[in-house]
Amino acid sequence: MPRPASSALPPSYTRYRYETRRRDPNPRAAALLVVDVQGHFASIAAPAMPALAATVALCRAAGAPVVYTRHVDPVPRSGPLDEWWPGDRIADGTPAAELLPGSGRREGDLVVEKSTYSGFAGTGLEEALRRMGVEEVIVTGVMTNLCCETTARDAFVRGFRVFFSADATATASQDLQEATLANMAYGFAYIVDCQRLEAAFGKVK
């Protein structure tokens, strides 16, 4: 299948051409959110896993906490998610629900279980971040245009400054990836990648 024409552009252009403003994250005030990097999404997450591993390592080295979300569908499941994805469920206790080995989770990292697109809805994530003194979140994971974007928007309306990773997120198509980057950059989040994070964190050492 032919790739979109934008894929031939330099990565930096593809990631930042929608940018409307720029800011560096403060690792002393930020937490990294790793959204739904689970067995169910392994094939979708695969292209972003090297960048995700690098992002996790950068945040840990800078002292920023790393928080994971894990999507688990309730039994029985009903409502809008069941209407949109009737045969696509993630059952707790199955390989599909487990975090991927490459996600970089360590013992002691907070793992939040969720049952809808937002990592904040009914999970206690906001309260946990406030207790940590977090004012900024860096969003990574899958899927870019569903759970990552919804979590980023929810973080914004809850008063967190949001940074959204262009290279440590992934979804079903390049068109969907770029649409989310455009939406985020327009009014919700500052776009970052591993290179920008490394440069930003280096400034505060």
Side-chain angles (χ1 to χ4, degrees):
M1 188 173 84
R3 300 182 68 186
S6 61
S7 65
L9 297 169
S12 59
Y13 178 79
T14 301
R15 292 169 189 168
Y16 302 128
R17 60 178 166 153
Y18 305 110
E19 196 167 60
T20 60
R21 52 187 58 78
R22 182 173 176 177
R23 185 185 183 110
D24 289 336
N26 176 5
R28 299 189 180 107
L32 176 65
L33 302 185
V34 182
V35 178
D36 297 357
V37 181
Q38 302 166 243
H40 184 81
F41 300 107
S43 61
I44 289 175
M49 293 303 287
L52 177 65
T55 300
V56 170
L58 284 166
C59 288
R60 290 197 192 282
V66 182
V67 177
Y68 294 82
T69 73
R70 192 169 72 96
H71 187 99
V72 177
D73 287 311
V75 180
R77 187 178 73 172
S78 60
L81 275 186
D82 202 44
E83 292 176 14
W84 279 98
W85 315 105
D88 195 9
R89 303 185 183 188
I90 304 176
D92 198 12
T94 66
E98 297 306 311
L99 296 175
L100 293 173
S103 67
R105 184 199 170 193
R106 291 182 180 175
E107 187 175 352
D109 290 337
L110 176 63
V111 180
V112 173
E113 291 193 1
K114 65 184 191 62
S115 58
T116 189
Y117 292 151
S118 174
F120 288 91
T123 65
L125 176 58
E126 179 178 2
E127 294 77 9
L129 294 175
R130 300 292 185 201
R131 288 193 296 270
M132 296 177 193
V134 170
E135 300 173 358
E136 304 177 351
V137 294
I138 303 165
V139 178
T140 63
V142 293
M143 294 170 65
T144 308
N145 57 309
L146 294 178
C147 295
C148 294
E149 181 169 346
T150 306
T151 297
R153 288 171 179 262
D154 208 348
F156 180 91
V157 300
R158 291 168 188 263
F160 294 96
R161 181 177 293 117
V162 181
F163 296 85
F164 198 94
S165 176
D167 59 353
T169 52
T171 190
S173 75
Q174 184 69 14
D175 287 344
L176 292 173
Q177 180 79 10
E178 292 199 23
T180 289
L181 295 180
N183 284 335
M184 291 291 100
Y186 189 81
F188 293 97
Y190 300 96
I191 305 301
V192 295
D193 62 7
C194 293
Q195 183 178 358
R196 281 199 174 174
L197 290 175
E198 185 174 18
F201 293 168
K203 293 176 184 178
V204 297
K205 287 183 179 179

